[in-house]
Amino acid sequence: MLVMKYVIALVFVGILVSLGFALFFMLKDGPSGGKGRTKSGGMARALTVRIGLSVLLFLCVLLAWKLGYIQPGGLPLGK
């Protein structure tokens, strides 16, 4: 169970790092002046990695729920 927490945290950090790289490439390349396809390769790759990591994170949470590592708790009702 502890391993699953580390995997989920690591994937979440990877998503944030990938977003940071996409921002870096977007700011570094600036206005492309008609050369958008060759300049935006790094940003597109970083965003593709982010999508893949987001899907992996969703599957990890789903697997943890199916194996019983996490339980749905809902919102507490304050009466």
Side-chain angles (χ1 to χ4, degrees):
M1 184 161 99
L2 188 62
V3 174
M4 187 62 79
K5 287 182 182 180
Y6 285 125
V7 168
I8 289 174
L10 187 65
V11 170
F12 189 71
V13 168
I15 290 169
L16 293 177
V17 169
S18 177
L19 279 173
F21 274 115
L23 177 66
F24 169 75
F25 284 120
M26 182 178 69
L27 292 176
K28 182 185 81 148
D29 292 340
S32 58
K35 301 178 195 171
R37 182 160 265 217
T38 59
K39 291 283 217 172
S40 65
M43 185 176 71
R45 190 173 328 120
L47 291 175
T48 303
V49 168
R50 184 193 62 86
I51 291 170
L53 288 174
S54 297
V55 169
L56 180 66
L57 179 63
F58 178 76
L59 292 177
C60 284
V61 170
L62 187 64
L63 180 67
W65 172 68
K66 282 297 230 183
L67 293 176
Y69 293 152
I70 56 175
Q71 299 292 325
L75 295 174
L77 297 174
K79 290 185 178 183

